[in-house]
Every structure is written in C-alpha cells, then in structure tokens.
Amino acid sequence: MYIMQPISLLKETLEQNANKSHFLFSVQDFLPLFPDFTSENLCMLLSRASKSGILERVCKGIYIYPKANYDSSLVLFKVAAKLRADHLNYVSLETVLSDTGAISQQLLGWITVMTTGRSGIIKCGRFGTVELIHTAKPTEKIMPHLRLDTRTGLWWADETLAMQEMREAKRTRELVSGGE
C-alpha cells in the first residue's frame, strides 16, 4: 500500500478542489486532511508548502492557493470573513462610502469591516490591509441597514449606517461629499 507524503497529499487536494470561488484557506481548513497532525506539525507543513510555492501566506493562519483562477480584488473580503468567521462582520465606514461615491477617493488595498469580534489591523502582504473595528451594537439594530453582497460574500452597511459609524468612530469626514 502506497502512503502519500503529506506535502503531496496537500498539493493534490488543492489541485482537485481549489477554484475561483474557493481559493483561500485557514489552518483549520486543513485539519480534516491531516487528522493525526498536531497544530505545530500542520503549521510546519503549511510553511513548507509556502516556501515551495504550493501555497502563499496572506497573513497569520491564512493561505491562498496561487494556481486557482481567483479575483484578487476579493482577497481582503475573504480574509475578513475567515478571520472572524464566528462573528457578525460587515463592510462599513470608508469602504462603503467610497463604494457609494460619498467619498471621492477610491480606496485601494484597504477595507474597513465592523465586527462583533475584536478589533485589529491585519496586514495581508501584497493584497493590502483589513481593518477590523469592534461594534457592540445589537444585531437587531444593525440588520435592517445591511445587505448581503454575493460578490464579496459579506454583509455591507448602507450609506446611513456607514456615516453614523464614521461619526461614532471619530473618523475624519473631510473627504465625504457635501462636507459634513
């Protein structure tokens, strides 16, 4: 009986299963593939896979399969969803206002996501930065102002909520059209 080497199993599994909508993976995504591995062993395997070009490390615990035909403009949104998968996350603040045209400048390489999880700024190498801002607002107050964006896979705040959160977060509103 032939037993496949872990790096070969990882490569073959990615080749067979990764695609343009499933190209980003967390360390936890690989646990079922290697059930006998300790977390240290798995991290070492993923590090080897990164060094050999099978995977590319995006940020701590998140990897991209570079051979997948993915849309690079979606990477930061997918990272945000993976990082706080067990919390409510929604795109807001400058990202929403830029998207709606309320801010004249286009934001490149930076997205702002409100989360019921903890705040943080996550550097994602060549892809840019994800800014996570904690919100303690009750879900029932937020949900009427959110729409699910099928392209990014995340909830997006409406312009009203984004403006309200800009004020609450004491963010500069100099770039907002109409000058507030």
Side-chain angles (χ1 to χ4, degrees), residues 37-101:
F37 273 38
T38 64
S39 59
E40 293 83 20
N41 288 18
L42 185 56
C43 287
M44 284 176 28
L45 173 65
L46 296 176
S47 177
R48 279 185 36 223
S50 293
K51 286 180 181 130
S52 67
I54 297 168
L55 289 171
E56 178 182 347
R57 184 179 182 272
V58 178
C59 62
K60 184 179 180 186
I62 306 286
Y63 297 85
I64 199 164
Y65 182 59
K67 287 186 178 178
N69 185 23
Y70 63 91
D71 180 347
S72 61
S73 69
L74 298 178
V75 171
L76 293 177
F77 297 103
K78 302 287 185 185
V79 167
K82 283 257 182 220
L83 287 172
R84 299 291 187 271
D86 52 347
H87 294 278
L88 172 63
N89 304 297
Y90 59 95
V91 179
S92 189
L93 302 168
E94 295 91 349
T95 305
V96 166
L97 297 175
S98 176
D99 189 65
T100 63

Side-chain angles (χ1 to χ4, degrees), residues 31 122 126 142:
L31 288 173
I122 312 301
R126 67 184 176 95
I142 299 169

